Amino acid sequence: MTIADDAATQARKMTILVVDDEAPLLLTLVANLELAGFEVLDAPGARQALEIARSRHLDLILSDIRMPGMSGVDLLRALRESGCDVPVVLMTAFTVESVLTEALREGVFTIVAKPFDVDGLVVSLTTAASRPIVLVVDDEPPVAQAAAAALAAMGIRTGSAGSGAEAIERVRRGDVDVVVVDMVMPGLTGAEVVEQIARLDRGIACIGVSGHDAPALFRRAAENVVSFLRKPYRPTDLASSIARARSRPAERS
Amino acid sequence: MIRWMHRRLSFVIAAWMIAVMSASGAVLAYKGTPGDEGTPAPRWPEGSTLVRDTERPTLVMFIHPECPCTRASVEELARIVGRGDVSVRTIVAVVRPAGADLPEKSGVVERARQLPGVEVVVDQGGVGGVRFGAETSGHTLLFAADGRRVFSGGITASRGHQGESEGGALLLALLRGRRAESAFASIFGCNFSTAEERRETP
Amino acid sequence: MTSIAPSQSPELEEAVAQRAAVLFGEHQTSLHRRTDRLFAYLLLGEWAFAIVLALVLSPHAWDGKVRTIHVHVPIAVLLGGVLTMLPVFLAFTRPGMPSTRYIIAVSQMLWSGLLIHLTGGRIETHFHVFGSLAFLSFYRDWRVLVPATLVVVVDHLVRQVVWPESAYGTTTPGAWRVLEHGAWVLFEDAFLVVACLSSRAEMRASAERQAQVETLSHLEEAKSAALDSALRELRSSQTAQIRAERLAALGKLAASMGHELRNPLAAVRNANAYVLKRLQAARPAPDSKVTQFLDVIDKEVGVCAKIISDLLDFAREKEPTRAPCPLRAVVDDAFSVVPNDAVVLENAVPEDLPILDLDRDQMRQVFVNLVQNAVEAMPADRRASGRVVVSGRARPAGGCIVEVRDNAGGIPADVAARIFEPLFTTKAKGTGLGLAVVASMVERHGGNIYLDSRLGEGTCFAIELPVDTLPPQQPQQVLEQTT
C-alpha cells in the first residue's frame, strides 16, 4: 500500500475546510479532496471560513493566502485569537517573504506553493490533521526545552528529548513528523540518530542543528537531513525550516 | 688619463697656469728684447747721399722692408710727424742688405710712401745704415738744424707694438722744442746685418 | 613675483617654490653648458685665427740677409695651443661646472692679450677685450667677470712692469693708459654685472612661472582624472540603477503575473487530476489514449509551472538563508530531480570538501539547472556515451570550487559570451532563464561562475564559492532557559 492509500484510509474520518476566492480552484480542489476520502467544506473567503469554523468541528483548514479583504494569515490569527487550534495549511501563488514570515510566526503548519501535486497534498494534509509534533533533541535539556517552548509559543506542537536514544524511543511511539537534532551529542550522535530515523521509513523529516563546526558529522548526516541550522538561530528560522520540511511531500512531483 | 685629470683638477689647473705664465713670460721677454743699439753717428755724416735740412731738424728712420715689427715703428712715425705742431724733415731709408733675397714690393715701404711729407729712399746694400750707424730696423735719428744728433733710438714700446713709447714721447718732446740733450731709447726691430757680419765690420 | 593662481595652500606654494628652484637650476646648468661649448669653439677658432694671423702678418724675421721664421709663428701655435687646450678639454668633459667657466674666462682674456701682441698692438685688436667680456656675460653669472677682469688688469700691469720703460723712472703715459683701460673695463663690467643679475632674476621669475603652470596643470590633470573617474562611476551606477529599476519593474510584473497565472494552472492541474482518477476508476476502462492525453495535460501544466517558477525565482532575488551545506548530498538531491534517461550522472564531489554556509535549496536549484542544461545539450549522437560529472576541490585561500563537466560537444564562443544573459537561449524550447538564475544565485552567495568550453569536446561550468565572511545571522531573540 502506498502512502497515499494509507492516507486515504485515514482521511475518511477527517473534515477539511478549503478556503479560496478563486472559484475554479476551489471547485477542483474540493472535488479532489473528496475523491481522496475527506469530508470537505468550502468557503470563498475568510469571513465565511470563520463562521464555519465556529459552528463545526474541523480537522484541518486549507486556505489561500492572498484573498480580498482578510488574508489567509489574518484568518489564521483570528482563529488562534478565538482559541481555535485547528491546524492550518496555507496555499500561495506568489507571496512576499514578509507575509510568509508572518504566517510562520502565527504557527501555520506549512505553506504549499501552487500549483501542487494533489496526491502529495493529500499526504501533507493527512499528516497535518493528525497533529504531529516536532521533536527537539539536544543533550542539554534546558536548550531543548527552550527551543520547544519557543516553537510552542508560535502554535507549533512540540516535544523534547535529552538524548539520541530517548529521541528514537519517542519517535517509535509515533505522532512525530519532524525531528530537530543537535549534531554533537554524547552517546548517539545526531548523525546516528538521523540514520536510524531514516531507517524507520516513516517519512520523518530531520533538521540538523549544531553550535560547533562538525564537518564530519554534517557530511555523514547530509543525505538524511532536510536542512541544517547553525546555533544560535532565530526561532522564526527554525519554524521556517520546519514548515519547509513539512511542505516537501506536496511539492515533490 | 682623463679621469685622473678630473680627480686632480686643481693640480691640472695649477700646472696650466704655470705653463701659461711661463710661455707668456717668454713672449714678453722676447718682445722686450731690444735690438742692437748700433753706433749712431753723433753728427750728420759727411758724404751721405741724404740731404739734410738746415732750417729745421731732420729725422731719418732706417727700416728693413720685410721686418714685421717695423710696421709699428712706421705707424708711430706717422703719428708723431703728422702732428700739426711738429715741423721736421722726415726721411725713411729702406735698407736692402746686400745678398738678401727680398721681394720687390713691401707693405711697410708702401705705407711709408703714403705718409705725407715723408721722403722714402732706398739704401741699397745698407751703406747709409752703416754710415749713420744704424743696426736695427726702426732705428730713428733726429738731427738738429745744425747737424747735431739729438735723438737716437726706437719709437715703439716693444717689438712690433704700436702705442705710446718712451722713445716716441722723447722724440715728440724734442720735436716740440724741449730741452735738446742727446736722448736715447730702445729700438725693437730686426737686425740689418747678422751678428757675424757685425763683428767683421769695424 | 607675479602669481597666476589666486590663492594656494602653503604646502602647494612650498612645492611650487621647490619645483621653481629645480627648474631654475636646470635652466642655468643648460645655459652654462651651452655657453661652455660655445666658448670652446670660439677658443679653437681663435687659435686657428692666431696661427693664420702670424703666418700672414709676420711670417719671417730678418737677421741681416738671413730669413728666419718669425717668433710669432711658434708663439701662436704653442702659447695659443696651451691657452686653448685646458678650457676646451674642460668644456667638453665638465660642462656646466664653475671651474670650467672660470678657466674659460681667464683663457679668453689671455687670448685678447695674445692677439694684441700678434697684431702689433693695433688699437682695433683691443676691442677683443670688450667683446670678450660681453661674450662672458652669456653665462649670466657675474662671478665669471671677476677672473676675466683680473686677468686684464694683471696683464696690463705685468707689461708695464716687465717692459723697460720703467727703467727711466718717469711715469710714462703708459701707466695712465693702464688706468684708462682699466676704467673702461670696469665701466663695461658694471653694466654687464647689472645685466647678469637682472637676467638671473628674469630666469628665476620665468622658472617660478613655469613651476606654477606645471603645478596648476598637474592639479588640472588630477582634477580632470578625478572628474573622469567620477563620471565613469556615475555612468556605471546609472547603468546599474537602470538595470535595478528594470529588474524591480520586472519583479513587480512577475509578482502580479505569477499570482494571475498560478491560480488558473492550479485549477487546471486539480481538475485534470480529478478527471484522471475518475476515469481510471471507471468501468469499462476508457481508451488508453484518453488517459494518455490527460497525462499530457498534467505534464504540460508542469512545464508551464516550471517556466513561471524560473521566472519568479529570477525576479524575486531572495537572499540566501545560509546554513552548513554539504555539497555532495545536494548534488545527489539534484541528480534525483533532473529528468534523464541515457546520460550518466556522476557525483565526484569529494567527501571531505569543506562545508560552507550556503542556502541548500538555492544550491540544489543551481545544480539542477546546470545538470539539466548539460543533459538537454547532449546531442543525439553522443547520448550513448554522454557523461555529466560534478566534482569539486577546496581553494587554498578558503572556500571551494565546484565544477560541472559534460562531454556534450562544447559551446561556440559567441554563444558562450551571452550564456548567462537572462532570456537568452539556443534551445527551441526554453525560457533562457535557467543559467541566469544560476548566475544570480551564485553571485548572491558572493561567488563567481565561469565557463570553459571546447568545441568538439565539452563544457565545464566552474563555480567559485567563498567562505562566508559575514557572521551567521545574529539572533534577534536568543533562546532563553524557561524558568
Side-chain angles (χ1 to χ4, degrees), chain C residues 141-412:
Chain C
D141 178 7
W142 62 266
R143 291 181 196 82
V144 162
L145 296 171
V146 170
T149 310
L150 277 177
V151 163
V152 172
V153 168
V154 165
D155 182 43
H156 271 85
L157 285 177
V158 162
R159 255 189 280 146
Q160 276 306 105
V161 165
V162 166
W163 284 343
E165 285 82 355
S166 56
Y168 285 80
T170 54
T171 340
T172 59
W176 292 115
R177 267 279 160 81
V178 173
L179 289 178
E180 193 185 350
H181 279 191
W184 279 111
V185 166
L186 287 176
F187 178 71
E188 186 182 1
D189 275 346
F191 279 91
L192 289 179
V193 165
V194 167
C196 282
L197 289 175
S198 80
S199 280
R200 274 276 292 316
E202 244 185 66
M203 273 174 73
R204 229 188 269 280
S206 143
E208 264 175 28
R209 257 181 309 221
Q210 190 176 340
Q212 282 202 339
V213 167
E214 270 182 20
T215 314
L216 277 179
S217 86
H218 280 159
L219 279 177
E220 284 309 308
E221 266 179 38
K223 262 189 237 162
S224 84
L227 190 65
D228 270 341
S229 78
L231 274 174
R232 251 180 283 128
E233 264 185 54
L234 182 67
R235 246 178 261 130
S236 78
S237 79
Q238 270 181 348
T239 343
Q241 201 188 342
I242 291 173
R243 216 184 316 132
E245 278 172 12
R246 243 190 253 141
L247 282 178
L250 185 63
K252 280 200 203 109
L253 175 67
S256 65
M257 191 180 72
H259 191 260
E260 298 308 312
L261 280 174
R262 278 176 159 172
N263 278 324
L265 276 180
V268 167
R269 197 172 195 185
N270 292 349
N272 193 54
Y274 182 84
V275 168
L276 186 60
K277 282 214 186 80
R278 288 302 297 266
L279 278 177
Q280 279 172 338
R283 297 284 174 268
D287 184 1
S288 65
K289 268 219 177 66
V290 172
T291 42
Q292 215 181 322
F293 287 173
L294 291 175
D295 265 334
V296 164
I297 292 176
D298 193 52
K299 278 212 177 60
E300 295 305 303
V301 166
V303 165
C304 292
K306 175 105 188 13
I307 291 172
I308 295 173
S309 295
D310 281 349
L311 184 62
L312 291 177
D313 276 343
F314 176 71
R316 197 159 47 149
E317 297 203 352
K318 186 162 158 290
E319 269 301 306
T321 38
R322 291 174 185 268
C325 181
L327 283 172
R328 196 185 157 85
V330 173
V331 172
D332 274 333
D333 263 353
F335 281 174
S336 66
V337 171
V338 174
N340 169 40
D341 40 10
V343 178
V344 171
L345 303 179
E346 184 183 323
N347 186 349
V349 176
E351 286 281 2
D352 57 356
L353 191 71
I355 299 182
L356 304 173
D357 282 358
L358 309 165
D359 185 318
R360 188 165 177 160
D361 288 333
Q362 288 192 0
M363 290 317 294
R364 193 179 54 229
Q365 178 82 7
V366 163
F367 288 118
V368 163
N369 285 9
L370 284 174
V371 171
Q372 190 159 355
N373 207 55
V375 166
E376 284 172 8
M378 204 68 72
D381 54 342
R382 281 177 177 254
R383 205 156 270 273
S385 60
R387 271 164 74 83
V388 178
V389 179
V390 182
S391 62
R393 62 182 186 276
R395 284 202 300 179
C400 59
I401 297 183
V402 183
E403 291 175 346
V404 178
R405 219 180 276 273
D406 67 59
N407 57 355
I411 301 173

Side-chain angles (χ1 to χ4, degrees), chain C residues 74-109:
Chain C
I75 284 175
V77 172
L78 292 173
L79 179 54
V82 170
L83 271 186
T84 309
M85 284 285 123
L86 183 63
V88 167
F89 171 74
L90 288 178
F92 285 121
T93 58
R94 286 166 58 101
M97 304 294 291
S99 54
T100 304
R101 52 184 179 272
Y102 295 155
I103 296 289
I104 285 176
V106 165
S107 174
Q108 178 69 7
M109 301 324 289

